[in-house]
Amino acid sequence: MKILALDSSSLVASVAVVEDELLTAEYTINYKKTHSQTLLPMIDAVAKMTELDLDTVDAIAITKGPGSFTGLRIGSATAKGLCLALGKPLIPVETMAAMAYNLWGSSAIIVPIMDARRDQVYAGVYQFQNNELITYREQCAEGIEELLSDLNQSFQDKEIIFLGDGVPAFRDKIEEQLILSYTFAPAHMNRQRAGSVGVLAEQYYRRRVVESAAEYRPDYLRLSQAERERRERQEAAKLSEQDEK
């Protein structure tokens, strides 16, 4: 089994090839460039360095969200284009689950968080049991204070480990409000990695959790800023009309 895995759900751009439970290549960049600039050149570089014929891959894996709206759209378009061109199935992998998989083997409660702005985070709650990733809370968008309150109530006497770009954004609130024992993942584990996406995708592929390129849609979890602002304008216009009547 050979999986080409992509992650563009955040500032990080990551490409990996996982073959028969072996990570044969991984290319990850966490720098201020758009994924439209980086993703295809990274795929090309990985293919050339590993002499990979893309026709030989069994499937393309992509983080389906949540995350950056622009990043998810670029990743989605790239993965779907490859699947259509190569005639391969697409494997969507939850962003939070893939991030949690970075910490395989940890006994702690794993909480990936991404900064969703407006004091909100994209988050999920996981733990490894018998080497399997158990989901305590499905990925969602919620207020950081709500998340911390729930952790305090639900996981007493447990150690929490946080990772993701939400950590630097909300570290002060975590330190102020969390009463549990906690730590933060180190640099080589605390951001998105296509290697983790690929390993999870292998498991999904065996369970036939795949989609066609035509049916695949990213999971944004909430409206984009532009959509929120448009809705707010529409609601304001309706209120104005009602006041005039």
Side-chain angles (χ1 to χ4, degrees), residues 98-227:
M99 292 175 68
Y101 220 82
N102 290 358
L103 300 173
W104 188 92
S106 172
S107 60
I109 303 299
I110 303 169
V111 184
I113 55 175
M114 294 178 66
D115 185 5
R117 312 302 180 190
R118 298 187 175 188
D119 264 354
Q120 287 199 322
V121 291
Y122 297 122
V125 181
Y126 306 88
Q127 187 178 34
F128 283 97
Q129 295 180 6
N130 298 321
N131 296 330
E132 287 193 20
L133 187 65
I134 305 301
T135 302
Y136 287 127
R137 178 187 280 197
E138 295 286 352
Q139 58 183 22
C140 63
E142 63 181 327
I144 182 62
E145 294 184 357
E146 179 185 353
L147 171 64
L148 295 175
S149 175
D150 183 70
L151 292 174
N152 282 331
Q153 294 175 22
S154 302
F155 297 102
Q156 297 178 14
D157 301 323
K158 299 284 187 179
E159 180 184 356
I160 309 294
I161 184 165
F162 292 95
L163 71 154
D165 63 27
V167 170
F170 297 106
R171 185 167 187 146
D172 289 346
K173 288 194 174 183
I174 292 171
E175 293 173 344
E176 290 169 3
Q177 299 181 26
L178 198 68
I179 61 176
L180 309 174
S181 174
Y182 65 89
T183 188
F184 302 110
H188 64 298
M189 296 178 176
N190 69 12
R191 291 294 189 273
Q192 284 84 343
R193 288 186 58 184
S196 294
V197 176
V199 173
L200 270 176
E202 278 194 325
Q203 298 175 25
Y204 292 1
Y205 188 80
R206 293 191 186 97
R207 301 200 302 265
R208 301 189 183 280
V209 182
V210 300
E211 296 183 17
S212 69
E215 67 185 354
Y216 171 71
R217 297 291 184 276
D219 186 3
Y220 299 113
L221 288 187
R222 68 176 194 175
L223 297 176
S224 68
Q225 181 176 344
E227 291 169 323

